[in-house]
C-alpha cells in the first residue's frame, strides 16, 4: 500500500514538473526542455557539453563581471516566471539554477506554485531573499529584498 502511495506521489510531482517546464519553455524562459513523461519518470533535455552537466550557479565560479550579469538574469527569471507563466518558483536558489551556454537556466520547478496559491507571495519573498543573499555573498551589489520583490510583481515595468 505505501509503495503505491509513494509511486503516486512521485507521479504527481513528475507531472507537475512537466507542466511547469512546458509553461516556462513556451514563455522562452531558459530551462531544460521536457521531452517525455512516463508514470513517475520525466525525461528532459540534457544541459551540458560532451556528457558533462552544466554547473549549478553555486559551482560555476563566475568572475565578478559575469556574476553581476548573472544577477540581472536571475532577477529577470523571477519576474518572467511571475508575469509570463504566473508561477513562483518556491525554492529559488543557487542550487536550482544552472549556467549553460553562458546563460542562467532555472531547474527544479516541481514545487512551483501559481499566483493564486495562498502562500505565493510568501514564497516569492523567500525566493527574492535567497537570490539576493547569494549574490551579496559573491560581492554583487543587489536590490533590497523589498525592491526586488516590488520589481518582480510590478505590472507597469516593461522588460
Amino acid at each position: 500500500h505505501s509503495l503505491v502511495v509513494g509511486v503516486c506521489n512521485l507521479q504527481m510531482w513528475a507531472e507537475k514538473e512537466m507542466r511547469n517546464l512546458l509553461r516556462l519553455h513556451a514563455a522562452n524562459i531558459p530551462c531544460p526542455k521536457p521531452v517525455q513523461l512516463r508514470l513517475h519518470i520525466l525525461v528532459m533535455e540534457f544541459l551540458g557539453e560532451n556528457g558533462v552537466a552544466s554547473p549549478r550557479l553555486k559551482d560555476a565560479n563566475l568572475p565578478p563581471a559575469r556574476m553581476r550579469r548573472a544577477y540581472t538574469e536571475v532577477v529577470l527569471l523571477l519576474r518572467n516566471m511571475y508575469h509570463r507563466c504566473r508561477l513562483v518558483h518556491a525554492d529559488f536558489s543557487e542550487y536550482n539554477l544552472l549556467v549553460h551556454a553562458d546563460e542562467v537556466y532555472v531547474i527544479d520547478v516541481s514545487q512551483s506554485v501559481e499566483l493564486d496559491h495562498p502562500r505565493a507571495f510568501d514564497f516569492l519573498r523567500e525566493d527574492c531573499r535567497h537570490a539576493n543573499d547569494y549574490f551579496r555573498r559573491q560581492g554583487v551589489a543587489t536590490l533590497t529584498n523589498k525592491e526586488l520583490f516590488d520589481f518582480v510583481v510590478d505590472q507597469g515595468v516593461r522588460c
Side-chain angles (χ1 to χ4, degrees):
H1 176 270
S2 63
L3 179 60
V4 172
V5 171
V7 170
C8 288
N9 286 338
L10 288 174
Q11 186 171 352
M12 283 184 357
W13 279 101
E15 289 170 356
K16 190 172 179 200
E17 178 93 2
M18 177 82 161
R19 279 193 312 274
N20 289 342
L21 283 173
L22 285 169
R23 285 167 84 165
L24 269 62
H25 191 55
N28 293 315
I29 294 172
C31 68
K33 181 180 178 181
V35 175
Q36 188 171 28
L37 175 66
R38 290 280 166 104
L39 299 173
H40 61 280
I41 299 169
L42 174 60
V43 177
M44 63 184 86
E45 168 189 27
F46 175 74
L47 298 179
E49 288 186 28
N50 302 319
V52 178
S54 295
R56 297 177 300 182
L57 178 59
K58 175 194 180 309
D59 303 319
N61 298 315
L62 300 177
R66 181 62 185 95
M67 189 62 79
R68 288 190 296 274
R69 189 163 53 98
Y71 179 67
T72 301
E73 292 174 61
V74 162
V75 167
L76 293 173
L77 281 172
L78 286 167
R79 180 175 170 78
N80 290 334
M81 281 184 68
Y82 184 90
H83 287 281
R84 293 183 194 168
C85 301
R86 305 199 48 79
L87 288 174
V88 171
H89 191 283
D91 191 19
F92 198 82
S93 75
E94 65 273 19
Y95 295 92
N96 290 326
L97 298 166
L98 301 180
V99 179
H100 175 70
D102 200 36
E103 188 171 13
V104 178
Y105 279 62
V106 65
I107 62 169
D108 194 11
V109 293
S110 60
Q111 74 293 322
S112 298
V113 298
E114 295 190 357
L115 301 188
D116 61 358
H117 187 282
R119 298 214 40 227
F121 280 167
D122 295 331
F123 293 143
L124 180 57
R125 282 185 189 88
E126 285 297 304
D127 287 351
C128 291
R129 185 176 63 79
H130 290 143
N132 277 339
D133 287 352
Y134 172 74
F135 282 97
R136 281 188 200 116
R137 286 193 309 272
Q138 304 311 307
V140 174
T142 68
L143 300 167
T144 67
N145 294 345
K146 183 179 181 335
E147 288 169 337
L148 178 52
F149 177 89
D150 290 346
F151 176 75
V152 169
V153 300
D154 191 334
Q155 299 285 345
V157 177
R158 297 263 184 217
C159 294

